[in-house]
Amino acid sequence: MATSTSAPGLGGPQSGPAGPTKESPDDRNGARPRQPWGTLLHRFDIKAAPYAFVAPFFVVFGAFSLYPLLYTAWISLHDVELATMDIMEWEGFGNYSQLWQDERFWNALANTFTIGVISTVPQLLMALGLAHLLNYRLKGSAFFRVAALTPYATSIGAAALVFTMLFERDFGMINWFLSLFGVDNVDWENSKWPAQFAISSIVIWRWTGYNALLYLAAMQAIPQERYEAAAIDGASRWQQFTKVTIPGIRSTIVFTIVLSTIGATQLFGEPLIFGQGPNGVSGGADNQYQTLGLLLYEEGWKNYEMGRAATVAWAMFLLLILAFVLQRVVKRVKSRTS
């Protein structure tokens, strides 16, 4: 008699259903198992730590940069006096229209531009040459680098006072030196162009070494192989400087130009101390060297018109934005034409 047998694993006892398994309460209810606190804290740390690290910058920026900027814009739309800052009278864009028609604003803008050009162009050229000399392996190069940075570490007040004595009309050393060549005493303070040249000399003295060190750092980042290849091709030192060094530090040059433009727009301490008294606030008896920074100070702290002062501040800010936009446009046009 034939009997039916089943192969092991296909229906026999070994292939029967498995025994009952132990289920957790979370599995029966369809919920996910709880994660330990350590895992939750780890995930929170991974996601929140980057925001915690960058939060101090944004807090400081919002408290000391963004909020003053917005509050200054709000004040510029009102008629506000310094003694009663809590009383504001809405003016809208009236302060801006008055500033547009104010001859003192255009005079201050022109003086800011001329002093900026007179101080920035020689300053950057001298800084470029000084950095090129410091880039060579000279004895005591560290001393010369520190010496180049010393004027930048000097306070504006001390530097301006010293240069004021140098450019004094009757007993100044500059006029004494010019008298050796038969030049009469120059009234540096009360003449327009001599005053602007004198103020520019203070700016040049303070910032040339700082920009030179920026250029020096950029020059040292240029690979030495470029100079060796240029020397093999027969390039002179001047050709290496114009064809290798200048293109290699072009971005740093642009940065220093932008930095100098911002500094020239905000020029305040040098002309104020150079005036030696009440004329320093107004930029001379005829406003011959009054800058936008001095005009802002005069409107706010001499005339007590904080609304007008805030308007001048925002005009300076908009001018910087305009300069930045023009720089970007010029750079884009050059990149397309090249």
Side-chain angles (χ1 to χ4, degrees):
M1 181 177 180
T3 58
S4 61
T5 60
S6 57
L10 297 178
Q14 296 181 357
S15 63
T21 58
K22 187 176 180 180
E23 296 181 354
S24 63
D26 292 335
D27 293 336
R28 290 196 301 268
N29 296 332
R32 298 179 62 183
R34 294 181 179 180
Q35 298 179 356
W37 278 103
T39 305
L40 293 176
L41 291 177
H42 178 68
R43 290 186 177 182
F44 179 79
D45 179 63
I46 293 177
K47 294 182 178 180
Y51 298 99
F53 287 135
V54 300
F57 166 78
F58 288 100
V59 171
V60 174
F61 174 79
F64 297 100
S65 296
L66 184 60
Y67 171 74
L69 183 66
L70 298 178
Y71 187 63
T72 303
W74 178 251
I75 293 178
S76 68
L77 303 176
H78 295 79
D79 183 10
V80 188
E81 294 186 0
L82 180 62
T84 57
M85 288 291 295
D86 56 336
I87 301 176
M88 297 185 182
E89 183 180 350
W90 177 258
E91 288 285 341
F93 291 98
N95 289 329
Y96 290 92
S97 62
Q98 294 177 11
L99 187 68
W100 183 267
Q101 300 171 2
D102 193 350
E103 294 182 358
R104 295 182 306 150
F105 170 72
W106 296 106
N107 175 70
L109 179 60
N111 292 337
T112 302
F113 177 78
T114 54
I115 294 176
V117 172
I118 295 173
S119 61
T120 299
V121 175
Q123 172 194 152
L124 297 183
L125 292 177
M126 292 171 60
L128 194 61
L130 182 60
H132 185 63
L133 292 177
L134 293 176
N135 195 29
Y136 289 105
R137 295 181 179 178
L138 302 176
K139 293 184 178 180
S141 58
F143 169 78
F144 290 110
R145 294 173 186 177
V146 174
L149 196 60
T150 302
Y152 171 72
T154 307
S155 68
I156 299 177
L161 285 175
V162 171
F163 275 83
T164 298
M165 291 186 291
L166 290 176
F167 286 100
E168 209 275 335
R169 182 185 62 184
D170 298 323
F171 305 102
M173 185 177 294
I174 303 298
N175 279 340
W176 170 81
F177 178 76
L178 294 177
S179 65
L180 300 178
F181 301 92
V183 180
D184 296 333
N185 287 351
V186 180
D187 193 354
W188 296 96
E189 181 183 353
N190 296 320
S191 302
K192 179 178 181 179
W193 292 110
Q196 295 191 10
F197 275 108
I199 295 171
S200 300
S201 65
I202 306 174
V203 180
I204 293 172
W205 182 81
R206 289 195 69 245
W207 289 96
T208 298
Y210 176 82
N211 290 318
L213 293 184
L214 292 180
Y215 291 151
L216 177 61
M219 289 178 183
Q220 292 182 343
I222 299 176
Q224 192 65 27
E225 292 78 7
R226 297 184 183 180
Y227 293 100
E228 296 176 356
I232 293 175
D233 292 339
S236 62
R237 287 292 181 87
W238 175 252
Q239 290 175 335
Q240 294 179 21
F241 178 74
T242 56
K243 301 298 183 180
V244 179
T245 304
I246 297 299
I249 63 172
R250 182 177 288 112
S251 59
T252 306
I253 294 176
V254 174
F255 171 75
T256 54
I257 292 175
V258 173
L259 193 66
S260 300
T261 303
I262 296 175
T265 306
Q266 299 175 347
L267 190 63
F268 173 73
E270 291 86 346
L272 177 66
I273 300 176
F274 183 79
Q276 302 184 48
N279 287 338
V281 177
S282 58
D286 298 327
N287 307 115
Q288 64 267 19
Y289 56 87
Q290 186 179 46
T291 61
L292 290 175
L294 288 178
L295 180 62
L296 185 155
Y297 183 83
E298 183 182 21
E299 290 288 358
W301 281 266
K302 183 179 180 180
N303 301 333
Y304 305 108
E305 294 288 342
M306 295 303 296
R308 294 287 301 274
T311 305
V312 176
W314 257 85
M316 296 167 61
F317 178 69
L318 294 176
L319 287 173
L320 291 177
I321 293 179
L322 179 61
F324 175 76
V325 171
L326 290 177
Q327 185 266 335
R328 298 295 296 179
V329 170
V330 171
K331 183 178 180 180
R332 182 170 296 183
V333 170
K334 285 185 177 181
S335 62
R336 290 182 178 179
T337 55
S338 61

